[in-house]
Amino acid sequence: MPLGACIASPPRIGYARGVKPMFLVLLAACTSSQTEETAPPTCDPAPSGAWSGDTAFTDRTEPWGLVDVQGGRLQTVDLDGDRYPDLVVTQLFGNTRDDLTADPPVRYHYVLMNRPGADGGRTFVDETEASGFLQNRDGGVGSSATLFVYGDVDNDGDLDAFAGRFLDQATDDATGDCSEILLNDGAGHFTLAVRSDLCALDGFPVTAASFTDYDADGTLDLWQVAFYEAYGESNYADQDRLFHGNGDGTFTDVTASMGLELRHGRTTDDLLERDVRRPAYGASACDIDGDSLPDLVATNYGRAWNQLWQNQGDSFVEIGQEAGFDDDENVTYTDNLWYACWYPTYGTADDPEPTVRCGGSFPDNYWTPGYDDQPARLAGNSFTTVCSDIDNDGDNDMYTANIVHDWAGESADPTELLLNDGSGHFERAPNDENGLGRDRRGSWNEGDLHAAFFDFDNDGWKDIVLGSSDYEDTHVWLWRQESPGQFEDVTDASGLNHPWPAGMAIADFDLDGDLDFVTGSSYQRSGSPWTTREVHLYENTGPIGNWVRLEGLPVGTRVDLTSGGITQTQEVSGGYGHAGIQNDTALHFGLGDACFIDTIVVTAPGGAQTVHADQIGNQALVLE
C-alpha cells in the first residue's frame, strides 16, 4: 500500500500453498477528509524520545488484578482472539490436581483473561474454571499439568494448548492424568482432544516443549524433552521425543523414524558417550542454518552436553559439537572444590589445598576420578536456550541460561551469548568483552533459569532479560544493547530489579506500543525475600521509539523487517526454554526514530515467501 493512502478495505496478499493470506488493518484516525476506518497511522519521525536511562518499568501488579496470583511458570498469548494478550500461571511440579471446592481452594493454575479495567485501563480477570483448562478425564475440575505451550494444531485460526505433565518412574501417580492437547473454540474455551501418542500413562518426565512445523506441511508438530527417568533413583535420562501433528489435535510419535532416538544408559561409563540420552530442562525450535526448516534444541542439565539437532528434511542429525553449541570447550577441572577434597589422598603434592570443608559423605562421594574429570561431565547446568537474531545480521543466535556455582570452577559453562556466522556455526561472545559479565565476589551462585530477547525501548535492537533465582543476590537482569553486540546493565535504572524471580512472560498487554514484563517470585531456598510465589507485572512506562506489531502469523513463520537502514529478523515461537516459556505470538518490532518500513518479508516453514513494501510505523498489521 502506498504510504499515506486511505483504502476502502484491507489488501489481500497472496501466499503460496500452505501459507495463510495476510490482511493489513491500519489502526489510527484519518484526517477530516478521510473515514475513520481507512486512516493511516500517525508516526512522528522524531518520536517523543528514546530511553534516556530513567525508569522504564513500573510495578503495576495491583491495578492488573494480580495481587493474589501465585506461580512460577508463565505464558502469555491471546487465547480469545481479542488481540489483547492473556496470561496463564502455573505452580511448580506436583502430583495432585487443583481443588477449587476446598476451603481454602487449592490452586495450581490460573487462566487470566485480559479485560477492560477501571478508568479506561486493562486488568486480568480470573476465568480459570470457565476456560476449561482444568478439565480432566474423570469429568471433574482439576489438572496436574505442569507446563503449557500454545499453537494452532487444528488450523482453525486460534491457539490451542499442549498441557504437559511431569511424571517420572520414581513417582506414584495419584491422578491417572497424562500430557494432553486442549482445543480452543476461538473464544478461549478449551476441550480435551482425543488422546494420542502424547499420553504416557506409565509416566513421562516432560520438562519442556515447543510447537514447530518440522516437515513444512502446514500442520504443527511438537518437540518435547525429558528429565531423568527416575529422579533421585537413577542417573539415566528418558528419551526426548518428536511428535508429528495430524491436524486434528492428535499426534504420532516419530522420534525413531526421524533419527532422534538415543541409547539408554546402562552403566556409568555409558553416560560419557554422545549417543546416550541426557536429562533436558529446556526445548527450543528455530532455523539455525537458514534453510527454512526448523532445527531442534535440547538444553541439558547435569553438566551434560547440550544438543542441537539439524533438520535435513527427512531426518535429524545431532551437530552440537561441530556447531560450537554443546559446551564452551573448557574442560579444566583442577579448580573444582570437590576435586580439591579428593586429591590430598589420591592427587600429587603440586595440587592446591582445598578451600572448602571436605568432611561428610557429599564431597567425599561427589568426585569420582575417571568420571567427573571427563568432558561429558564438564559442560553446563543448562535450563533455557533463547534462539533469535540479536545482532540484526539475518541469522538466529543463541543465548543459553545456566546455573553456575563457585565450587564448580571454570569448567562450568556460564550463561553466554553464541553468535551465528550465518551457516549454523556459533562463536561464543565472552561476557567480559560484551558487557554481559557480572561480579563474582566471595561464595557466589548464578541461578539463571529463564531468559528472553526483547526490544524494551523500541530502538530497533533487541535487549536481553535474564531471570536468575533461588540463591543469594539473584534477581532479574536487564541488559540494553547500546551498540551492535555491546550491552549495558540497566537493571536498576530500568526498574526491573525483581529479586529471586520465577518464570517470565513478555507482551504488550495494554497495546500501547511497548513491551511489558511479568514474573513470579521464588522462595525455594532460605534467603529469599518472598514468602509466596506472588506474580508481579512491570508495565513499560518509559519513553520509547516507534514500533510496528505483526499479528496472526502461524508458529514457525520468519519475518525480516527493514526500516531505517536496519533489517530485523524474528520467528514466531511455539514455546521455548525451561518449563514452557511463551511470549505473545504477535511479533513486536521497535523502529527507533524511523517511521517508514521499507519491506516486510514473510517466510513460511519450507521457504514460501511474501514481500510487502512501503508501510508506516506505529500500527498493528493484522496478519490472518
Side-chain angles (χ1 to χ4, degrees):
M1 186 182 97
L3 292 173
C6 276
I7 52 177
S9 61
R12 178 167 180 158
I13 309 299
Y15 270 60
R17 183 182 66 83
V19 184
K20 296 181 180 181
M22 177 174 71
F23 296 85
L24 306 181
V25 180
L26 307 183
L27 308 175
C30 276
T31 64
S32 57
S33 63
Q34 298 165 332
T35 65
E36 183 175 355
E37 291 78 9
T38 59
T42 300
C43 183
D44 185 352
S48 56
W51 190 69
S52 59
D54 300 324
T55 298
F57 293 93
T58 303
D59 191 335
R60 299 273 292 165
T61 301
E62 183 174 359
W64 276 94
L66 295 175
V67 170
D68 296 321
V69 175
Q70 297 183 32
R73 296 176 176 187
L74 313 171
Q75 306 94 35
T76 179
V77 292
D78 178 11
L79 296 175
D80 59 357
D82 67 352
R83 301 184 54 246
Y84 285 92
D86 307 301
L87 183 66
V88 177
V89 179
T90 304
Q91 294 278 18
L92 300 181
F93 289 162
N95 193 30
T96 58
R97 294 171 172 168
D98 312 78
D99 185 356
L100 304 186
T101 64
D103 186 17
V106 177
R107 295 293 302 268
Y108 300 119
H109 306 87
Y110 297 82
V111 178
L112 305 170
M113 304 302 290
N114 189 337
R115 302 296 188 212
D119 302 322
R122 305 288 299 186
T123 192
F124 288 113
V125 176
D126 187 351
E127 297 186 13
T128 308
E129 189 169 2
S131 71
F133 252 64
L134 300 189
Q135 63 190 290
N136 56 58
R137 295 287 176 177
D138 299 335
V141 176
S143 171
S144 59
T146 50
L147 65 95
F148 297 89
V149 290
Y150 306 84
D152 184 4
V153 303
D154 52 4
N155 288 332
D156 64 353
D158 52 46
L159 292 174
D160 310 298
F162 167 68
R165 187 182 181 211
F166 181 97
L167 183 70
D168 67 20
Q169 296 174 20
T171 306
D172 292 331
D173 184 14
T175 67
D177 294 340
C178 62
S179 295
E180 302 269 16
I181 291 292
L182 301 173
L183 295 175
N184 194 344
D185 69 354
H189 304 123
F190 294 82
T191 55
L192 290 166
V194 174
R195 273 184 172 170
S196 60
D197 287 357
L198 295 178
C199 179
L201 288 173
D202 56 346
F204 183 71
V206 55
T207 51
S210 183
F211 280 117
T212 185
D213 185 2
Y214 77 86
D215 54 356
D217 66 351
T219 300
L220 286 185
D221 314 302
L222 186 72
W223 169 234
Q224 182 176 286
V225 299
F227 204 48
Y228 295 105
E229 61 184 7
Y231 186 58
E233 297 182 3
S234 169
N235 290 325
Y236 307 116
D238 217 323
Q239 172 67 49
D240 302 335
R241 301 180 184 180
L242 179 64
F243 297 90
H244 181 266
N246 300 319
D248 58 358
T250 65
F251 288 78
T252 301
D253 191 339
V254 294
T255 306
S257 63
M258 293 303 295
L260 291 156
E261 194 161 62
L262 293 174
R263 186 162 56 92
H264 187 292
R266 299 296 180 186
T267 68
T268 298
D269 287 344
D270 283 346
L271 301 178
L272 303 179
E273 303 299 328
R274 287 189 173 274
D275 63 346
V276 170
R277 303 170 186 174
R278 303 164 211 169
Y281 254 150
S284 300
C286 63
D287 178 12
I288 59 99
D289 52 10
D291 65 354
S292 298
L293 291 174
D295 307 294
L296 305 177
V297 173
T299 307
N300 295 323
Y301 182 70
R303 303 291 304 277
W305 292 305
N306 292 323
Q307 291 155 302
L308 175 57
W309 293 93
Q310 185 180 50
N311 190 339
Q312 300 195 335
D314 57 355
S315 63
F316 287 85
V317 175
E318 208 283 304
I319 62 166
Q321 182 179 28
E322 61 189 86
F325 172 72
D326 63 342
D327 69 0
D328 66 1
E329 298 184 343
N330 187 332
V331 293
T332 301
Y333 61 82
T334 53
D335 59 347
N336 184 300
L337 299 186
W338 305 129
Y339 167 81
C341 288
W342 171 84
Y343 81 82
T345 301
Y346 302 101
T348 70
D350 295 331
D351 289 323
E353 291 294 325
T355 57
V356 295
R357 184 177 178 180
C358 296
S361 61
F362 170 70
D364 291 343
N365 293 334
Y366 191 75
W367 185 267
T368 303
Y371 178 68
D372 288 311
D373 52 11
Q374 297 303 299
R377 293 281 297 148
L378 299 172
N381 284 316
S382 302
F383 282 73
T384 289
T385 295
V386 182
C387 184
S388 187
D389 182 11
I390 191 70
D391 51 5
N392 288 344
D393 66 351
D395 52 43
N396 280 319
D397 308 297
M398 303 278 204
Y399 182 72
T400 298
N402 291 285
I403 282 183
V404 186
H405 309 291
D406 66 341
W407 59 257
E410 62 181 270
S411 70
D413 292 6
T415 297
E416 206 166 26
L417 187 63
L418 288 75
L419 298 178
N420 194 337
D421 69 359
S423 69
H425 183 272
F426 296 89
E427 296 292 336
R428 292 178 181 264
N431 290 329
D432 58 357
E433 296 179 9
N434 60 15
L436 295 174
R438 287 166 280 177
D439 289 338
R440 291 175 166 179
R441 291 170 291 184
S443 178
W444 54 267
N445 296 281
E446 292 169 357
D448 302 348
L449 304 177
H450 305 89
F453 295 164
F454 78 125
D455 184 1
F456 83 91
D457 56 355
N458 283 352
D459 67 350
W461 294 88
K462 298 180 187 71
D463 311 300
I464 297 177
V465 62
L466 175 68
S468 189
S469 191
D470 289 1
Y471 301 101
E472 298 289 345
D473 301 322
T474 54
H475 52 80
V476 171
W477 292 82
L478 179 62
W479 287 279
R480 179 175 181 265
Q481 191 167 187
E482 58 181 350
S483 62
Q486 293 297 311
F487 298 85
E488 176 189 10
D489 179 3
V490 297
T491 305
D492 292 330
S494 69
L496 208 57
N497 189 346
H498 182 94
W500 290 53
M504 63 174 60
I506 298 169
D508 184 1
F509 289 107
D510 48 8
L511 298 189
D512 66 349
D514 53 34
L515 292 170
D516 311 302
F517 182 83
V518 179
T519 188
S521 309
S522 176
Y523 60 94
Q524 190 73 18
R525 292 175 172 84
S526 62
S528 170
W530 309 106
T531 57
T532 64
R533 293 189 176 96
E534 56 191 75
V535 172
H536 287 248
L537 187 145
Y538 292 87
E539 193 172 303
N540 193 335
T541 55
I544 58 170
N546 291 318
W547 55 274
V548 66
R549 173 183 167 92
L550 306 183
E551 302 176 350
L553 287 168
V555 165
T557 303
R558 168 180 167 139
V559 173
D560 296 273
L561 184 147
T562 301
S563 176
I566 297 173
T567 297
Q568 302 176 57
T569 301
Q570 294 188 46
E571 289 182 11
V572 182
S573 172
Y576 74 96
H578 179 49
I581 304 170
Q582 186 144 11
N583 302 319
D584 191 8
T585 55
L587 298 183
H588 184 99
F589 291 84
L591 303 178
D593 60 2
C595 265
F596 305 130
I597 301 164
D598 301 317
T599 59
I600 301 173
V601 181
V602 180
T603 306
Q609 283 191 347
T610 297
V611 179
H612 189 75
D614 295 336
Q615 276 299 318
I616 194 167
N618 288 4
Q619 65 171 311
L621 304 183
V622 182
L623 311 182
E624 296 182 345

